[in-house]
Amino acid sequence: MGKKVKKEVEPPPKDVFDPLSIESKKAVTVVLMLNSPEEEVLAKACDAIYKFASKGDENKVTLLSLGAVEPLFKLVSHEDPLVRRNAIMVFGIMASNNDVRKLLRELDVTNSVIARLAPEEDIVVHEFASLCLAHMAVEYTSKVQIFEQGGLEPLIRLLSSPDPDVKKNSVECIYHLVQDFQSRAAVRELNAIPALLELLKSEYPVVQLLALKTFGVISNDRETRIILRENQGLDHLFKILETKEFNDLHVEALAVVANCLEDVDTMQLLQQTGGLKKLLSFAEMSTIPDIQKNAAKAITKAAYDPENRKILHEEEIEKCLITLLGTDSDGAKAAASQAISAMCENLASKDAFRIQGIPQLVQLLSSENEEVKEAAAIALANLTTASPNNASAVAEAEGIEPLINVLSAKRDGTVANAATVLTNMATQEPLRLSIHGVMNAIVEPLQSTNSLVQSKATLTVAAFGCDADARTELRNASGLEPLVKLLHSKNDEVRRNACWAVMVCASDELTAVELCRLGALDILEEINLSTGRKNNFSEGALDKLLDNNLSQKYSQMGYLSSSNIITDGFYDYGQVKPGVKLLSLEELSIQELNDHRAIILVNAKLPEASLSAEDKSQDLYYGRTTSSSSIRKSSKERASSAVASPVEEKQESSGRSPSSLSKSSTREKGSRKGKGKKEEDKPKEEEELQTMPKVQQEVILEKLLWLPPFDSILLDYIIDASKIILPLTTTKEQVIALALFVADKMGGPIERDKLHEFSWELHISEIEFELKCNVVPIGKIKKGTFYHRALLFKVIADRIGIGCSLVRGEYGRAWNEVKLVDDSPQGITGLLLPPQTYIVDLMYQPGCLMKQGSAEADHYLRI
């Protein structure tokens, strides 16, 4: 065998580094390699980092802390395609982390990433560049950057990419971008709709879903809906709805259809092609809650247009919505209720819901779901507005109790709309009288901080407050105080409605007095002084408040008109400054004797003998007594009733009589009655009282009540005056006769020069001392000056039907004004002259009538 010749190998050049394979298990080492000048090292380092980052979010954070993002950013624009691809792959995967995105925004990487969407780039680069942008587009700042740097156009182009991942990432990014209106307009201008419609045919559900979500946003713009209709977009949407396999897409498809239905042209097209019937049938037949809910929402959006409501009614939309009300889904019930609210603008639809819709909505008021409860209340509010028949249907469906219960619901919208329904029902008197407990329940809404609730609650009070029982209920429930507080509201509607409610509630004396005590009078006066805050109801409320609290009115305003009829319980406290609240007669009567002006009391009403059981329960609470039809009147009282004014008769029939305290009160007698009893006897007495029959209990309880001092002399005056004056044929004769009668009872005529000798002050003081009380019944006054005589004249005139006013002047002056028609001039017959105002002389020449404004009248009033 020959020898083998050994071949000599040439050594490598001295300036070339021998190849080196490195295995690294530390991320920090690989991150350092990102700064290598060798393309192969960079590509492998990026690939290794991509795999590491793909394992979880913690690894992304680790790479961020090692400073990998900055060198990667440089590599995204590297010359080498492989390095560039691997770097963008890392960016795409790491951008899902919030902290990484924050740094990417600071580095302003969007321009470099958008550049990777160029057509010449690899599909993988497209995939991860679009993924990176999709992650970044979640934040508003990045949306703006992507839009301003022209990212939308290449993304739209990529919707036609052959790669499904590129499509998915691109449409997802577009979906985020179109949340901003500028991008929505750009999508339309860049003709993206055809490409988006093509995505609906994709075999990948996620791509279809994202395309539908994008349509759901951009179809909010009318211009987009027009383009969508022109490109047969509705056909694509209905194909999805008709395909059972796509049931996971039905909700989003319905959302797009809902937007499209806002256009009348689309609605008409669907009606003509039968698409609308398909949609309604689809909504009724589906058992998927979200689909039912979105179908109802689609109807709601469409129903905001009058023409659409007409079309929907023609397609019998009411049956579909009533069916949805009966589903098991709370979301569908709420959405159907909202759709009914929208359809109520169509009168025919409003009537169509009466028989079956209203009973179901009433049932939903008792739902445990607050959203359902609120939607049902809103629907009922709309159904009953300007529809008495629907309001009656609510009552027939036993809706009164649920509505009252809902007034204490958690949601303000529920409360406000329940109050609206009750207000709508109250417009019918028979219905209003059948509703009990509203005023108790409305107190809580009156205390709400929500202006809508306050507004609706005050309207409810105004609607129900025209009934006496309702006003009593409101007083019992302490509802007047929050009502008065709402007069301070800065909200114009709340303040206006509160004034309205006060005006209505001030229809009786008890409520008017309580409202004044709570400060309503002062607030209303303040409101009426402001040109910006006053309203028609504030002026009316002030007038009504004073007209039903004549003691306050006369003390404050110094004037009572002929329509202000003085009734028993009236008292003249004297002039008070604005803002000063009068004490009640009860409080004034128990004060110690003082040197202030005496309070003059008018009370010709006999105290009642007993109380009926029903009246006692209500009236004892207010410290007042109520007459019973079974009580026999005394002869004097019967005579008084014969000449009583209509107002007085109305008060007596309603059982209202004001009451207060005095030193000689029966309450004191009742309290003194038990002073001599031993403590151990008290339980025995209480036990005996409880075992007594109710009638006896009522009599005993009444003895404990204090009543205003009965003025028998005044009652005699009224009876005697009626006998003398009523037979007279003319008003003028009656006025003169009454003036003479009053003057006679109050000390007769006084000479002007000797007025200072008429010691009426001493006389009044003697009466006060005798009664041990500052309150003096007017009948006891035998020496009366101007204001005593004028008051007595007004009291008797009101009882026997002579119209006159009472005016308070200065320095103890007061006078009466009457309107009389003068006789026709001689030679002229049948001429009807306007009535003239005359001042009645009750002091110097009783019965003398002085024309207002004349020298004679001025002389009479002069001090």
Side-chain angles (χ1 to χ4, degrees), residues 510 569 584-586 622-625 657-661 705-708:
L510 285 169
S584 69
L585 191 55
E586 178 179 348
Y622 295 103
R624 59 189 173 95
T625 60
S657 63
S659 65
S660 56
L661 293 175
L705 278 178
W706 182 87
L707 299 172

Side-chain angles (χ1 to χ4, degrees), residues 43 84 287 304 355 403 405 531 546 685 784:
R84 201 163 58 239
T287 56
Y304 287 132
I355 297 173
L403 283 167
N405 292 337
T531 54
L546 291 172
E685 286 181 357

Side-chain angles (χ1 to χ4, degrees), residues 215-229:
F215 274 126
V217 177
I218 63 175
S219 60
N220 283 306
D221 298 338
R222 186 174 181 276
E223 294 82 0
T224 301
R225 294 197 295 269
I226 293 171
I227 298 172
L228 190 60
R229 187 170 65 243

Side-chain angles (χ1 to χ4, degrees), residues 354 358-359 362 388-398:
R354 184 177 306 137
I358 286 178
V362 166
N389 290 333
N390 281 355
S392 299
V394 173
E396 291 168 8
E398 300 181 352

Side-chain angles (χ1 to χ4, degrees), residues 461-462 483-484 487 497-507 511 515 520 524 541-542 544-545:
V461 173
L483 177 61
V484 170
L487 293 173
N497 291 347
C499 290
W500 189 356
V502 168
M503 184 180 77
V504 173
C505 288
S507 296
T511 309
L515 286 167
L524 287 168
L542 182 61
K544 198 73 171 289
L545 210 54

Side-chain angles (χ1 to χ4, degrees), residues 19 265 319-320 384 441 450 650 733-734:
D265 292 341
K319 291 181 180 179
C320 173
T384 55
N450 183 283
K650 183 178 178 182
E733 291 175 334
Q734 290 179 338

